[in-house]
Amino acid sequence: MSDRDGWRRLHPLSPIVRGGRATIAIAIVILPTALAGRSTKHDLPQLGFVAVLVALGFVSWLVTRWRIEDDDLRIETGLLRRQSLRFPLSQVQAIDVVRPGLARLFGVAELRLRMGGASGGTARLAYLNAREVEPLRERLLALARGAPEHEEEEERPQVAGRVLSTVPTGRLVASILVSDVGIAAELVLAGLIAALVLAPSATAGLAGGGAVWIISVFQLVWRRFNQEYHLTVTEAPEGLVLHGGLVAITSETIRPGRVQAVRMVEPVGWRMLGWVRLEADIAGRQRSEGEGQSQRRSLRTLLPVGSRATAEVLLDHLVPDRPRELVRAPRRVRWKSPLRYRMLAWGRTDTCVATRSGRLRRATNWVPLVKAQSFRRVQGPVQRRLRLASVHVDTAGRNVHAVVRDRDVAEADGALEELVASARAARRGNLAA
């Protein structure tokens, strides 16, 4: 639906989809009464609430419009307080397509532009006709790359991306069962079964008193399975494309230069099976209203579970010049960190620093030096006594940082000087490119 001056409106079903969760919850309460043939007079407050939601959603849809204006996406919205938002396409970090369960049912999808920074700014077109989303996404990406207006309107052949990794359902289920969340769910379930067998009269009380904890644990298990189901990473001209989900399907693009750091996690139960988990810290943390937890986080799961060989393929795209050999910590670190000592190691190249740490769960972090924001040398009282020090490499991300932990003082001082010089050279090279 568009106006003569180029303004377009969202899909007419957008109010229903945006208020879908509340509407479904009220319907679950009301439908049993209606099907039983009883009066719904006592449900009038719930019906009134649904009516208000529908009315507000319709007003929001009526006062919202958007158009592409030069190299910007412009969105106007608001009834009492009118807002005119402009999003420069040259500053876009990624353009994602999100299809929640209810949106898939009505044949609509959300287009979400990710901007850099931590202010939470994001452009959301929720919702559009599902058939229009991909062509519009390609058009916006072409403009973001600096393509002329006439060029982005031409019909371009679709280049099939190369699949780098995909997660088999059986392996995903097995990995969740042996993870910390899965083990917690199994213990809760085992406790309920034991209570049912040994003390049937107390089962109802246990279930009622711990209902919140029971629901929370199983919700975490379901959320991980729903978000990581059949997660596929594809190499595309605009970057790495992540596509997956069971009920809510998300297609996200990680453009080159957006990754602040990469982390590979190896839980103790997974190491025996040769499995790893690969995550990336992404620039542009979002806090937009209406986003799910997976979209709010700046940490993105690239490989929920997979072999080290598959992780190496993805690492070759994210941090190709990473250090291959890591140097272990001095032996006297055992007196300070007996559980972590065997895990500690670090290494660097001219463009990347890598650190490894952990107690039961081994974690290896890679940080491109061009993304380093600051360097800190830290020495606690125990470290001073053992002639040790740590060097912290801080980035714009919030989840993954490289810490050259518990090194000899002379080694830490030398590492600090080398990392600062390499980071300065990497930034100069990046500006020259």
Side-chain angles (χ1 to χ4, degrees):
M1 184 181 300
S2 60
D3 300 332
R4 284 179 296 180
D5 55 357
W7 288 104
R8 304 187 63 183
R9 295 193 183 277
L10 301 174
H11 196 281
L13 293 177
S14 298
I16 299 177
V17 178
R18 296 187 70 170
R21 290 184 179 180
T23 305
I24 292 173
I26 298 299
I28 291 175
V29 175
I30 295 176
L31 280 179
T33 303
L35 294 176
R38 296 193 298 269
S39 174
T40 58
K41 290 183 178 180
H42 63 283
D43 292 326
L44 288 179
Q46 293 92 327
L47 292 173
F49 180 67
V50 173
V52 170
L53 285 179
V54 173
L56 292 176
F58 177 76
V59 171
S60 175
W61 170 81
L62 193 63
V63 299
T64 301
R65 60 181 187 170
W66 65 275
R67 73 179 181 184
I68 299 174
E69 191 172 287
D70 296 328
D71 291 333
D72 299 342
L73 174 66
R74 183 175 173 184
I75 302 176
E76 289 191 351
T77 186
L79 179 62
L80 300 178
R81 188 181 65 176
R82 194 69 177 168
Q83 296 184 42
S84 181
L85 308 174
R86 290 176 179 267
F87 298 91
L89 295 176
S90 60
Q91 303 299 320
V92 168
Q93 297 290 323
I95 302 178
D96 308 333
V97 176
V98 182
R99 298 182 177 92
L102 199 60
R104 294 170 60 192
L105 181 64
F106 287 104
V108 296
E110 175 187 349
L111 194 70
R112 185 177 298 159
L113 277 68
R114 298 282 182 181
M115 313 301 292
S119 62
T122 183
R124 299 180 63 221
L125 297 178
Y127 289 83
L128 304 172
N129 191 304
R131 294 190 298 271
E132 301 175 358
V133 168
E134 286 298 337
L136 178 60
R137 176 177 173 272
E138 293 296 328
R139 181 184 177 189
L140 294 175
L141 283 172
L143 290 173
R145 291 193 295 265
E149 182 73 16
H150 67 276
E151 180 178 333
E152 52 87 14
E153 290 179 350
E154 294 177 356
E155 188 70 24
R156 296 185 308 273
Q158 296 293 326
V159 180
R162 182 169 68 96
V163 176
L164 300 179
S165 69
T166 188
V167 180
T169 304
R171 179 179 292 181
L172 177 61
V173 172
S175 68
I176 294 175
L177 291 178
V178 297
S179 67
D180 50 355
V181 174
I183 293 174
E186 293 160 14
L187 291 176
V188 169
L189 184 60
L192 289 176
I193 294 175
L196 180 63
V197 174
L198 300 177
S201 59
T203 304
L206 289 173
V212 175
W213 296 101
I214 295 171
I215 294 174
S216 299
V217 169
F218 285 98
Q219 186 179 15
L220 289 174
V221 173
W222 163 250
R223 181 182 299 169
R224 177 174 294 185
F225 179 77
N226 180 43
Q227 293 175 355
E228 299 176 353
Y229 175 80
H230 205 263
L231 182 63
T232 302
V233 180
T234 306
E235 181 186 19
E238 61 269 18
L240 296 182
V241 179
L242 280 63
H243 181 87
L246 181 60
V247 177
I249 298 178
T250 302
S251 179
E252 177 181 1
T253 304
I254 300 179
R255 298 183 66 189
R258 190 184 176 207
V259 175
Q260 300 292 312
V262 183
R263 176 171 68 186
M264 184 169 68
V265 181
E266 301 171 84
V268 61
W270 290 18
R271 291 205 297 272
M272 296 181 292
L273 301 172
W275 292 347
V276 301
R277 179 183 181 90
L278 198 65
E279 301 166 329
D281 207 356
I282 303 298
R285 186 171 184 262
Q286 306 295 333
R287 305 185 188 93
S288 179
E289 179 183 358
E291 289 189 342
Q293 187 66 24
S294 62
Q295 285 80 43
R296 287 198 191 109
R297 296 178 303 178
S298 55
L299 195 64
R300 292 292 186 269
T301 300
L302 301 176
L303 184 66
V305 57
S307 65
R308 182 177 288 272
T310 304
E312 293 286 344
V313 172
L314 295 175
L315 286 169
D316 287 340
H317 285 76
L318 297 169
V319 280
D321 189 31
R322 65 189 182 277
R324 307 289 173 163
E325 299 292 335
L326 304 184
V327 180
R328 298 186 62 178
R331 293 179 62 86
R332 61 181 180 275
V333 176
R334 290 181 297 178
W335 299 105
K336 175 181 176 292
S337 303
L339 297 179
R340 189 158 50 188
Y341 158 70
R342 295 186 180 277
M343 302 284 190
L344 294 178
W346 86 287
R348 75 169 189 92
T349 62
D350 291 338
T351 60
C352 181
V353 59
T355 62
R356 189 173 66 207
S357 184
R359 294 180 177 86
L360 297 179
R361 188 181 70 165
R362 184 165 61 197
T364 306
N365 300 336
W366 292 270
V367 173
L369 289 174
V370 72
K371 298 297 183 181
Q373 301 293 310
S374 64
F375 298 89
R376 294 180 288 127
R377 179 186 182 276
V378 178
Q379 189 178 40
V382 178
Q383 288 179 313
R384 286 197 296 270
R385 188 170 184 84
L386 295 174
R387 305 185 311 282
L388 300 172
S390 299
V391 177
H392 295 248
V393 182
D394 301 318
T395 68
R398 293 174 174 262
N399 299 278
V400 180
H401 303 282
V403 182
V404 184
R405 193 182 302 275
D406 293 336
R407 314 305 299 191
D408 185 84
V409 169
E411 182 184 3
D413 292 340
L416 180 60
E417 294 180 3
E418 294 172 357
L419 290 173
V420 170
S422 297
R424 187 180 297 116
R427 283 194 293 269
R428 284 199 300 265
N430 189 55
L431 291 175

